[in-house]
Amino acid sequence: MSEQTASEAEHDPGLSRRTLGVPSITLMIIAASAPLTVVAGGVTTSFAVTESLGVPLGFLVIAVILTVFSVGYTAMGRHITNAGAFYAYISQGISRPFGVGASLVALVAYNAMQIGIYGLFGFQLSMFLEAKFGFASPWWLWIILCIVVVGVLGVNKIDLSAKVLGALVALEFLVVIVFDIVSLAVAPEGVTATTLNPAELFGPSLGIVLVFGVAAFMGFEGAAIYGEEAKDPKRTVPRATYAAVAIIGLFYAFSAWAFSVGIGPSNIVGSSQEFGPDLMFVFMSDHMSVLFVDVMNILFLTSLFAALQSFHNAVARYFFSLGREGVLPGWFSHTSKHGAPWAGSVAQTVLALAVTIGFAVHGSTGGAEAMEASTGNPAFLYPVLTMFTWLTNTGAMGLVLLMAVIAAAVIGFFRRDRRGLSVWTTLIAPIISGLLLLWVFIMIVANFHILLGEASPGFGTYILPIIVLLAGLIGIIWGGALKSRNPEVYQRIGHGTEPGAYGTEVIDVVEE
């Protein structure tokens, strides 16, 4: 146990305050979902794997589920402002040990999402440079360089990240809108509402469509993570959350429908299976200039970069929150003069480097060839089929599980005092969304081998979900141990908001 004095606190001021407004937080949330990446990759993958024409409506159904979830989630957020978000909500709504368990699941999930996206980024940039300039380069080289850039932005003032992400997201939207317009103009089978027919969605394929679609929304819950840096947390966070869900849901549904119109409803499934994520670029190559397609490819890369930065910021703030309250070593709570959680940012950067090096070494020592032999996929796809696919799907699974638990936490938080809120907000909406999210989670686990691109369940199908669940179990055990081992730290769990939050000029932190 060590003490951080008021003098030291002056040099470690905590997160920047009153910095972010609704537009900034909304853009960072949307950046995490990577709009161009979802339309190019997520939409085609959903059509190809599910063989269902109900993909556009699937996005709307998910948006409705998450909107209902947000009713209780944002209501709880008006009473809890903590960079740990899920961790704090579950600590106060269920129990402190469960909150610690949730924090470790969140760290695994957000890190998995972020590091997994690096795999696709490195692969795409390497392939683009080779195709355009004949410059062959290892995929992992570009990941390492990108990790450095993301890390530098992560330790600087948060509004710098917000401005960078805002500009990138605006360009992504512009490109996708142009794609949508071209698709509707081409319309080989006419502008038809075939893929908007409810009968195409509500059938045997409903569950798997939602399983593939829900990953496109991951990151929407992150508004609460920026609550301590919001200009008005009680208003900014709820507005940003609802805005993000509405924009993402409507935009993806419209673009998926436009995509189906541009290719033709009768051809969209077959074409998606043939070309995969390249279908969007192949289509635009036939109807737009080479220059525009090159711009699209570049913005596809910046879309991935924006998602990387957004998830990096979220991980850094989780580390900060847990370090501040003593659940993790106290140095995780250190912030820069800009109010950025530099210790958490550095920790995430180091972790990303370590995992990238691990995949690079495994791929270069026979892992890529072994994958080709067992799956028939080309060895050069190794970072996409392993690092990207394994980790991002694991992250999405963990976040869906956490949202289902959050729904229960909302009920627990308002059980004794509804704080003037309606039964719909404090009970009915959480029950409905919680059950639906739990069902989606079960469907993810049941179809996990499909998400990983495996014909039948294999080693990864079992080990990756176990890692997520094991992280939660370890956290629960550790949280329970703190109750007897360090009661003072135990009382802080999920209740800290900033240095000095405990009513004293001296802040105790745990040193491991």
Side-chain angles (χ1 to χ4, degrees):
M1 186 79 76
S2 67
E3 294 185 341
Q4 180 182 345
T5 65
S7 174
E8 291 172 323
E10 291 177 1
H11 301 286
D12 194 16
L15 297 175
S16 58
R17 316 296 292 181
R18 303 295 184 262
T19 303
L20 303 174
V22 174
S24 295
I25 295 179
T26 302
L27 286 171
M28 284 195 287
I29 295 172
I30 295 174
S33 75
L36 182 53
T37 302
V38 168
V39 176
V43 170
T44 52
T45 301
S46 294
F47 276 123
V49 176
T50 66
E51 298 185 345
S52 168
L53 297 181
V55 172
L57 280 182
F59 286 117
L60 292 181
V61 171
I62 296 169
V64 170
I65 294 174
L66 296 182
T67 298
V68 176
F69 165 80
S70 298
V71 171
Y73 181 62
T74 57
M76 195 172 179
R78 292 185 176 94
H79 302 279
I80 301 174
T81 302
N82 191 302
F86 284 157
Y87 153 71
Y89 289 14
I90 293 173
S91 294
Q92 297 195 37
I94 299 179
S95 71
R96 288 174 171 83
F98 266 81
V100 177
S103 73
L104 295 193
V105 172
L107 280 176
V108 169
Y110 281 120
N111 272 298
M113 290 289 289
Q114 202 259 6
I115 298 172
I117 293 171
Y118 273 123
L120 181 57
F121 177 87
F123 170 81
Q124 287 294 139
L125 182 51
S126 177
M127 291 296 100
F128 178 73
L129 291 174
E130 186 169 1
K132 297 304 296 183
F133 306 107
F135 175 59
S137 56
W139 56 269
W140 49 262
L141 171 65
W142 304 111
I143 295 179
I144 291 175
L145 292 176
C146 186
I147 287 174
V148 173
V149 175
V150 169
V152 169
L153 286 174
V155 299
N156 275 280
K157 198 171 182 180
I158 186 62
D159 58 353
L160 175 60
S161 287
K163 291 173 182 176
V164 172
L165 296 183
L168 295 179
V169 169
L171 290 172
E172 284 183 65
F173 269 88
L174 180 61
V175 166
V176 176
I177 289 171
V178 171
F179 167 75
D180 292 343
I181 293 172
V182 173
S183 295
L184 295 176
V186 172
E189 298 175 24
V191 180
T192 170
T194 301
T195 52
L196 297 178
N197 184 350
E200 298 291 350
L201 174 65
F202 294 97
S205 61
L206 173 61
I208 191 67
V209 170
L210 298 186
V211 164
F212 273 88
V214 74
F217 289 80
M218 292 303 96
F220 96 94
E221 76 295 333
I225 295 174
Y226 301 102
E228 296 181 42
E229 298 157 280
K231 292 180 178 179
D232 183 357
K234 296 183 186 301
R235 295 182 180 180
T236 303
V237 171
R239 290 175 180 175
T241 301
Y242 283 119
V245 173
I247 292 171
I248 292 172
L250 292 172
F251 187 69
Y252 289 167
F254 179 82
S255 296
W257 168 69
F259 209 146
S260 71
V261 170
I263 304 299
S266 65
N267 295 317
I268 185 64
V269 171
S271 296
S272 295
Q273 292 172 335
E274 179 181 359
F275 295 102
D278 284 337
L279 180 58
M280 183 180 190
F281 302 97
V282 171
F283 172 82
M284 292 300 279
S285 296
D286 293 336
H287 302 286
M288 296 291 287
S289 67
V290 174
L291 177 61
F292 186 83
V293 176
D294 286 344
V295 170
M296 285 184 63
N297 275 289
I298 293 172
L299 288 176
F300 183 73
L301 291 166
T302 61
S303 170
L304 295 172
F305 175 82
L308 288 166
Q309 190 67 57
S310 183
F311 281 116
H312 174 89
N313 291 343
V315 172
R317 279 152 184 78
Y318 259 96
F319 276 128
F320 166 82
S321 180
L322 295 171
R324 175 181 59 191
E325 296 179 19
V327 176
L328 291 181
W331 57 266
F332 276 111
S333 67
H334 291 171
T335 55
S336 68
K337 63 181 181 180
H338 302 295
W342 72 262
S345 180
V346 170
Q348 203 286 320
T349 297
V350 171
L351 184 59
L353 281 171
V355 174
T356 298
I357 292 171
F359 272 96
V361 171
H362 182 261
S364 63
T365 56
E369 287 74 15
M371 180 204 72
E372 182 172 8
S374 62
T375 66
N377 291 299
F380 71 87
L381 288 174
Y382 174 78
V384 176
L385 298 179
T386 58
M387 187 172 175
F388 172 70
T389 302
W390 294 355
L391 297 184
T392 55
N393 283 304
T394 300
M397 174 179 57
L399 292 177
V400 171
L401 172 62
L402 285 176
M403 285 191 285
V405 177
I406 280 286
V410 171
I411 297 172
F413 184 78
F414 291 110
R415 184 180 71 254
R416 295 179 181 175
D417 182 2
R418 296 214 312 262
R419 293 168 169 81
L421 299 174
S422 67
V423 175
W424 161 253
T425 299
T426 59
L427 182 63
I428 298 176
I431 288 177
I432 293 173
S433 61
L435 291 175
L436 289 172
L437 287 166
L438 181 60
W439 173 67
V440 173
F441 172 74
I442 293 172
M443 291 298 297
I444 290 175
V445 174
N447 295 281
F448 203 58
H449 66 285
I450 299 176
L451 290 170
L452 298 187
E454 299 174 350
S456 59
F459 178 74
T461 307
Y462 299 108
I463 193 63
L464 294 173
I466 287 174
I467 290 174
V468 172
L469 296 175
L470 188 60
L473 179 61
I474 291 172
I476 292 172
I477 294 173
W478 172 240
L482 284 174
K483 186 173 184 180
S484 56
R485 181 177 171 181
N486 197 326
E488 184 179 358
V489 168
Y490 182 80
Q491 288 302 312
R492 296 178 184 177
I493 292 174
H495 290 71
T497 56
E498 59 185 18
Y502 309 106
T504 174
E505 292 297 318
V506 179
I507 307 166
D508 295 329
V509 294
V510 172
E511 293 290 350
E512 294 295 309

